[in-house]
Amino acid sequence: MDRKAGGRPAASPRADVRLSILIAVTDANTPELGDVQMHAVRPKEPVIGRVVASEPCLNGRSASFVRHVAIDVSGTPLAGSFRAGQAFGVIAPGEDSRGKPHAVRLYSLACPSKGEDGEGNVVSTTVKRVIDEYTPQKGDEDDSAHHLFLGVCSNYLCDLRIGDEVLVTGPAGKRFLLPADPSLHDYLFIATGTGIAPFYGMVRELLQGPGGPCQSRIELVMGTPYTTDLIYDEFFDALAAEFPNFNYHRVISRSDIRREYVDRYIERNMDDGFREHLSDSRTIIYMCGLEGMESGLYRVLARNGLTEGYMDIRDPMKLEDHENWDTKDMKRSVKAGPRCMVEVY
Ligand code: FAD
Ligand code: NAP
């Protein structure tokens, strides 16, 4: 074998060229996210915003309550400093059970990077009231208790009226972002419930943002318990009718006709477009919502030989054993790849 000084094998010029092409292709497919600002307003020094809109945004009469809440942050460091996909913080007034001021709660931005006003002055989110019967969370709690449980911040935010002041912080998050040049990629957005929030901002940014509608292929898959729980449904439906490159898929988990989760829906429709979409190295997956959706989707990708770029499988997990993957082990050893953005909890 021909050897260069230092004992390294000399690569043929052709191999060099091939290597550089390979690197270029890999780099081109890894989304370039551009600059992002974090914590322009820190939780210790929140700023005052003012509510400018609060509207219910479910499809019909549901047992849940979800509102689109918009807050004017003009004149604060938060104005103009956020990007679609990031979150902002809200601090509810009052104290928690330990007598400490309430901790900040994060809410995904539901607006494009230019805000609801096009000038970066109005942020918005999609907030669901946490309402339940009390269930003991720790061993030392009274297990006969079952009074009404109301989440502190979600109900505070939903109760606010137009003109009310609210303490806000942020922005937070540095990876769940659209690429700096959106035209270089195609998109698969997967949401469960209020996980739709960032996609309401991103899809508007792509299709209605400055510079004209993005021509990339965009698939949005939205999972809710009932059709009445669909959020911004009419808006996405109208957008799908207007833009041939945008498709909107509703997945209903408690339907009388078909009970399905988003991952199973994608798998069932693999040969109706999802395989082609996912096989294309331009495609970026974004998923937001319930934690369980992440492992479900990874299993579907693994079963269908579509892991490349989307999943990073570390030791001791092996791709060939994917049918036996344990969800707890997956959390440790299966991570999002460069073309997969995840916001779940
Ligand atoms: P809390 O008062 O904090 O109560 C919830 C807590 O109480 C739970 O964590 C649990 O410990 C406990 N609990 C829950 N149920 C019960 C029960 N039945 N009995 C007893 N205890 C119970 N939410 C949205 O609605 N929209 C968003 O866009 C959004 N984006 C988010 C983005 C990020 C990055 C993160 C981290 C969270 C996001 N959330 C979003 C969730 C949000 O931050 C809050 O966690 C949520 O609104 C609940 O807060 P809360 O103050 O109303 O409830
Ligand atoms: P929801 O209306 O209850 O809808 C969730 C849907 O997902 C239901 O249809 C549910 O089905 C289904 N589902 C349950 N387990 C699943 C799994 N393993 N895989 C796929 N689908 C599954 O949702 P929600 O109450 O709004 O809750 C949404 C979650 O997203 C919350 O935890 C919220 O805090 C989180 N969220 C996160 C962010 C973020 O991180 N940036 C932003 C917004 C929201 P069944 O109920 O019928 O089983």
Side-chain angles (χ1 to χ4, degrees), residues 154-191:
S154 57
N155 285 291
Y156 162 71
L157 198 46
C158 283
D159 285 352
L160 289 174
R161 298 184 199 192
I162 291 171
D164 284 349
E165 291 185 343
V166 51
L167 290 179
V168 290
T169 69
K174 59 179 180 198
R175 187 160 189 267
F176 200 82
L177 302 166
L178 288 174
D181 181 351
S183 69
L184 296 179
H185 296 275
D186 294 309
Y187 303 91
L188 173 56
F189 296 127
I190 312 171

Side-chain angles (χ1 to χ4, degrees), residues 105-108 126 128 133 135 137 149 151-154 345:
R105 268 53 161 194
L106 290 176
Y107 292 91
S108 290
T126 317
K128 179 172 183 171
E133 271 197 352
T135 356
Q137 306 284 299
F149 176 83
V152 171
C153 196
S154 57
Y345 56 91

Side-chain angles (χ1 to χ4, degrees), residues 1 7 89 93 125 132 154 163 188 213 232 258 266 268 277 279 284 295 299 312:
M1 187 187 290
T125 189
D132 206 349
S154 57
L188 173 56
Y232 308 122
R258 189 196 296 273
I266 290 169
R268 184 166 62 79
H277 192 40
S279 304
I284 313 176
S295 54
R299 284 201 173 89
D312 177 8

Side-chain angles (χ1 to χ4, degrees), residues 37-78:
Q37 207 177 327
M38 299 256 289
H39 313 303
V41 180
R42 295 187 175 274
K44 284 216 161 97
E45 292 170 287
V47 294
I48 297 173
R50 194 174 291 278
V51 175
V52 289
S54 176
E55 287 146 17
C57 52
L58 288 178
N59 203 18
R61 282 180 68 86
S62 159
S64 303
F65 301 93
V66 180
R67 283 188 163 262
H68 180 80
V69 177
I71 300 168
D72 187 340
V73 295
S74 53
T76 77
L78 196 49

Side-chain angles (χ1 to χ4, degrees), residues 208-282:
Q208 300 179 327
C214 175
Q215 301 299 320
S216 301
R217 178 172 171 185
I218 307 165
E219 304 285 333
L220 170 63
V221 181
M222 166 59 162
T224 54
Y226 301 100
T227 52
T228 48
D229 297 310
L230 288 163
I231 305 171
Y232 308 122
D233 185 55
E234 271 183 26
F235 172 82
F236 287 123
D237 208 24
L239 221 56
E242 184 180 350
F243 295 98
N245 57 323
F246 173 64
N247 291 308
Y248 173 46
H249 309 259
R250 304 173 177 93
V251 184
I252 306 302
S253 60
R254 302 182 201 169
S255 155
D256 290 337
I257 302 157
R258 189 196 296 273
R259 291 164 185 250
E260 205 164 38
Y261 280 172
V262 284
D263 52 335
R264 298 302 305 205
Y265 174 89
I266 290 169
E267 185 156 44
R268 184 166 62 79
N269 291 288
M270 239 351 142
D271 295 331
D272 278 337
F274 283 109
R275 186 181 304 285
E276 185 200 352
H277 192 40
L278 285 162
S279 304
D280 191 332
S281 56
R282 279 174 50 96

